[in-house]
Amino acid sequence: MIMFSTEFPVESSNTIEQLYRIAEDWISGSPHTSLEVSEISISDTDEHWVLSNSDESVRSIQYRGEFVQATSLKYIKKSGGLEWVSTITMSVSQESAWVGIRVSCESFLPSSRLPPAKKPIIAELLLEKLSVGKDGPLHLLSKPHYLDDIEIPKAGNILSGKSACYLPVVYISANYDGRYAVDCEQIAIELAGMAHVLVEPNRHFSNRLRSEVDSQNVYGGSIGIYWPLGSGRRSVFHISGYDSPKDLKNAICNELRTALVNRRSRSDCTWSSVQEKVSKKRLDHLRNSGSEDLKQFIEEFDQENEAARSKLKEAELEIVRLQNEVYSLECRVLPSENTGVMASLGVSFGNEQELYPGEFACVLVESCSSQLHNSTEDSRRKHLLQAVADDNQAANNKVKREEIKEILRNYTKMSPTIRKQLQAFGFAITEDGRHFKLVYADDDRYTFILPKSGSDHRGGLNAAGDIARLLF
């Protein structure tokens, strides 16, 4: 079973020798290895190299060509009824260089259970000791990419899959009070080499970005995973669905690990790709040696190999076509919890964006409920409206109406507690002469006024009623 898989770009200045030295440090530094440290010296010159005992083996294969250098290394460890196979591959050319990591684990005893998947130590070592590269417009970092206010086009290209990124992107939107649902620095460390982490600067940035990406951006504190060219499903995460920010972070990391394991590896980041290069080099050598005995065999092999390559190329082109088609279809659906239902009904809200998760569904369900008394008894229309009202819970708006009433129930002045509660609710608060101006979800259409001091104890409830009537 594959437990972990990723590929990431590195600088072309990195060498096979560097990769071997890092691998040696990784293996010899493990407290679980039974190999002699003095023997773990991977050959820089042999095409094939092997070191093994009864429980462990290390083997490498390398290709050195005029324009490409590539190597792949397998470390196999048997322990506790489990067999671990870690494969590290690096391919370097003048144009680009990539490293691939793949870890699998199999049980050879019925009673053995596979451990939970996690990021391997070798990934951290390679990211730390190799010169990492650039993936499209983004440098490979173990920290977040904090977007500037002027980087709307850049963010739009990345979320739309137009930026030539290979790695997925975790996009963290700002909450209404300018905070984030997870620790941005911590999640970037955990996802280094697996995904880029983009952090928007503020809620206003999200509103401006909306028109750039046809409302495909997450917003209001939600977090989205965006894949290039539709090569994986896009996922949206809300803090409301988790007990803590840590649980939310773990869910995002697990989602990415699972998706990367099922993603097709780059053709130049596998053991077989290096083996193919070495085999072809040997065949070329035999061909050039002029051996008549091998001439017919080589010709037949070349014909068979060319046919196989042609079929593979056709298959890869079809995969690219299908990926683009999938991405095109995905872009027709907003990435929110309710868009699957909306899309299946053919319902569009135009340029409007949900101001809070589930808003669209709430409006539709409550509208159905309110239309029940206007429908003819025993009519198909009434039966459908009744089914929607009975089988869908639209409690969000009722809850929000009660929440805003509780916040403003005894309002006489803007205390620190009330200010904090209003900001958490989604209001931006500014002073406007003798009043406070409240703007909901950074949308100026929903602006409300509160006095700096109120003598009427019912003034707060009246203001809450106005807010609830216009928003919920």
Side-chain angles (χ1 to χ4, degrees), residues 1-3 32 53-57 75-86 103-118:
M1 178 179 179
I2 301 171
M3 308 292 284
H32 308 293
N53 61 25
S54 59
D55 295 323
E56 286 179 85
S57 70
Y75 174 50
I76 303 173
K77 170 70 177 176
K78 296 179 181 179
S79 176
L82 302 175
E83 181 180 75
W84 292 87
V85 180
S86 302
V103 179
S104 63
C105 182
E106 298 293 341
S107 170
F108 51 86
L109 293 177
S111 59
S112 298
R113 289 189 176 183
L114 297 183
K118 61 180 181 179

Side-chain angles (χ1 to χ4, degrees), residues 135-433:
D135 181 30
L138 299 174
H139 288 281
L140 197 68
L141 302 174
S142 57
K143 59 183 180 180
H145 297 266
Y146 289 102
L147 294 165
D148 292 329
D149 273 323
I150 61 173
E151 292 187 301
I152 294 289
K154 178 180 179 180
N157 284 335
I158 292 171
L159 298 193
S160 300
K162 302 174 183 177
S163 64
C165 282
Y166 177 78
L167 272 66
V169 170
V170 175
Y171 188 86
I172 303 177
S173 66
N175 208 333
Y176 298 111
D177 57 2
R179 294 183 294 179
Y180 304 102
V182 295
D183 185 328
C184 301
E185 298 286 336
Q186 185 60 42
I187 196 171
I189 292 173
E190 294 197 25
L191 294 179
M194 300 166 59
H196 304 291
V197 175
L198 264 66
V199 183
E200 69 179 22
N202 48 57
R203 173 69 176 133
H204 183 56
F205 185 96
S206 178
N207 287 336
R208 291 158 54 212
L209 179 61
R210 179 177 60 185
S211 60
E212 191 81 15
V213 297
D214 295 328
S215 298
Q216 294 299 304
N217 58 308
V218 291
Y219 57 91
S222 298
I223 299 170
I225 301 176
Y226 292 80
W227 294 83
L229 294 177
S231 58
R233 66 184 184 277
R234 287 176 292 171
S235 304
V236 180
F237 298 83
H238 303 283
I239 186 62
S240 59
Y242 300 90
D243 293 334
S244 68
K246 182 179 179 181
D247 289 340
L248 173 59
K249 180 203 69 177
N250 290 340
I252 295 169
C253 292
N254 289 335
E255 173 82 5
L256 273 165
R257 266 195 297 270
T258 301
L260 288 172
V261 161
N262 291 288
R263 189 186 198 186
R264 184 171 179 262
S265 298
R266 286 177 57 95
S267 60
D268 57 350
C269 284
T270 63
W271 175 279
S272 60
S273 69
V274 183
Q275 179 68 68
E276 182 184 9
K277 290 181 175 66
V278 171
S279 298
K280 187 177 185 303
K281 182 179 179 181
R282 289 180 174 180
L283 284 170
D284 288 342
H285 177 72
L286 288 172
R287 182 187 293 112
N288 295 333
S289 69
S291 172
E292 293 297 329
D293 295 337
L294 295 171
K295 185 176 180 180
Q296 185 177 359
F297 168 76
I298 292 173
E299 288 176 354
E300 292 177 357
F301 179 86
D302 282 348
Q303 291 176 3
E304 182 180 354
N305 196 33
E306 182 61 32
R309 287 184 179 180
S310 177
K311 290 181 180 179
L312 178 60
K313 186 174 182 180
E314 291 175 2
E316 288 177 339
L317 290 173
E318 178 64 9
I319 288 171
V320 171
R321 185 191 70 78
L322 291 172
Q323 285 177 333
N324 288 328
E325 185 175 335
V326 168
Y327 182 73
S328 176
L329 292 171
E330 283 179 338
C331 285
R332 299 178 189 175
V333 183
L334 290 172
S336 75
E337 289 179 338
N338 301 297
T339 49
V341 176
M342 303 304 178
S344 66
L345 294 174
V347 176
S348 172
F349 285 86
N351 293 324
E352 290 295 332
Q353 187 182 53
E354 285 189 326
L355 299 183
Y356 55 87
E359 181 188 21
F360 292 166
C362 280
V363 171
L364 288 179
V365 173
E366 288 189 346
S367 297
C368 288
S369 299
S370 65
Q371 285 298 311
L372 274 171
H373 69 280
N374 293 327
S375 302
T376 303
E377 200 67 31
D378 292 328
S379 66
R380 177 61 175 167
R381 179 185 179 87
K382 183 155 190 172
H383 292 160
L384 291 175
L385 291 172
Q386 188 69 59
V388 172
D390 290 344
D391 292 345
N392 294 274
Q393 298 296 322
N396 282 355
N397 281 348
K398 295 179 181 178
V399 170
K400 285 185 172 294
R401 287 192 285 266
E402 291 303 316
E403 284 181 358
I404 194 65
K405 287 180 181 179
E406 286 304 313
I407 293 172
L408 296 176
R409 181 173 298 278
N410 296 311
Y411 176 84
T412 55
K413 64 178 181 178
M414 185 66 70
S415 67
T417 299
I418 293 177
R419 179 186 291 271
K420 186 176 180 180
Q421 290 174 331
L422 288 172
Q423 289 173 337
F425 195 84
F427 285 104
I429 304 172
T430 57
E431 294 191 26
D432 187 13

Side-chain angles (χ1 to χ4, degrees), residues 46-66:
D46 296 338
E47 280 186 345
H48 290 84
W49 179 88
V50 178
L51 171 67
S52 65
N53 61 25
S54 59
D55 295 323
E56 286 179 85
S57 70
V58 184
R59 60 184 63 187
S60 68
I61 182 172
Q62 62 175 291
Y63 168 82
R64 295 181 186 268
E66 185 178 357

Side-chain angles (χ1 to χ4, degrees), residues 73-105:
L73 180 143
K74 282 184 186 285
Y75 174 50
I76 303 173
K77 170 70 177 176
K78 296 179 181 179
S79 176
L82 302 175
E83 181 180 75
W84 292 87
V85 180
S86 302
T87 306
I88 302 97
T89 306
M90 183 168 72
S91 177
V92 180
S93 68
Q94 293 179 343
E95 293 78 24
S96 65
W98 286 81
V99 168
I101 304 170
R102 203 167 180 87
V103 179
S104 63
C105 182

